[in-house]
């Protein structure tokens, strides 16, 4: 699951996240790696169809949207959050290159992330589903990149 040396396509893909997400779709990524702890502009401004749709910054985003785990997975089917749970959700969402975790329990998929000025807080929120891991912080996101290795079909 943690294949780190495959590289990643980090292109900004117009239209990413705008189509309805179907659970159980094809697996598009087979590895992930931690990138950073940042205050991510995308989390607050790029949710076009979920709870954040009224804050969507259409004038500054190139027609993209994040996809929130809680907006797609019905409550009774949700798992306690961890980096692996978030990756397993996001790896089948088309055109997504990153995922973020925040406040110990929230997961979102994003085609890219945009670091903005934040406070001096850290990513120190313990993951609900994996107490030995950190899932963001009160205002910051733990960002992970996802990638597909050349031998994906052999590994799956």
């Amino acid at each position: 699951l943690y294949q780190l040396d495959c590289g990643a396509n980090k292109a900004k893909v117009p239209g990413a996240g705008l189509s309805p997400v179907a659970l159980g779709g094809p697996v598009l990524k087979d590895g992930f790696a931690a990138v950073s702890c940042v205050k991510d502009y995308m989390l607050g401004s790029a949710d076009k169809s979920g709870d954040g749709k009224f804050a969507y910054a259409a004038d500054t985003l190139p027609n993209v949207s994040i996809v929130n785990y809680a907006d797609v997975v019905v409550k009774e089917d949700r798992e306690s959050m961890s980096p692996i749970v978030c990756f397993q959700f996001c790896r089948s969402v088309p055109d997504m290159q990153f995922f973020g975790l925040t406040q110990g329990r929230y997961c979102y998929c994003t085609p890219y992330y945009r670091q903005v000025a934040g406070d001096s807080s850290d990513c120190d929120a313990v993951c609900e589903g994996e107490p030995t891991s950190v899932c963001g912080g009160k205002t910051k996101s733990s960002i992970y990149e996802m990638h597909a290795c050349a031998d994906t079909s052999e590994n799956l």
Side-chain angles (χ1 to χ4, degrees), residues 30-54:
D30 62 0
F32 68 95
V35 174
S36 192
C37 170
V38 300
K39 181 171 177 72
D40 186 10
Y41 177 80
M42 300 297 283
L43 179 61
S45 303
D47 185 1
K48 191 163 186 169
S49 57
D51 288 342
K53 63 186 167 194
F54 299 111

Side-chain angles (χ1 to χ4, degrees), residues 18-84:
L18 297 178
S19 301
V21 175
L23 296 177
V27 171
L28 304 171
K29 310 288 187 212
D30 62 0
F32 68 95
V35 174
S36 192
C37 170
V38 300
K39 181 171 177 72
D40 186 10
Y41 177 80
M42 300 297 283
L43 179 61
S45 303
D47 185 1
K48 191 163 186 169
S49 57
D51 288 342
K53 63 186 167 194
F54 299 111
Y56 185 74
D59 56 333
T60 60
L61 294 168
N63 199 29
V64 298
S65 179
I66 63 171
V67 176
N68 282 300
Y69 178 82
D71 291 338
V72 176
V73 179
V74 293
K75 191 169 188 168
E76 55 270 5
D77 291 341
R78 292 181 197 155
E79 297 181 51
S80 295
M81 195 47 61
S82 71
I84 291 174

Side-chain angles (χ1 to χ4, degrees), residues 110-141:
T110 183
Y112 57 93
Y113 68 97
R114 185 184 299 174
Q115 182 174 354
V116 293
D119 56 24
S120 62
S121 66
D122 292 320
C123 287
D124 56 5
V126 175
C127 299
E128 288 184 348
E130 190 176 310
T132 58
S133 293
V134 174
C135 288
K138 187 168 177 84
T139 62
K140 293 189 176 176
S141 298

Side-chain angles (χ1 to χ4, degrees), residues 80-96:
S80 295
M81 195 47 61
S82 71
I84 291 174
V85 170
C86 192
F87 168 69
Q88 289 173 336
F89 169 72
C90 290
R91 73 185 190 164
S92 62
V93 179
D95 301 319
M96 297 297 167

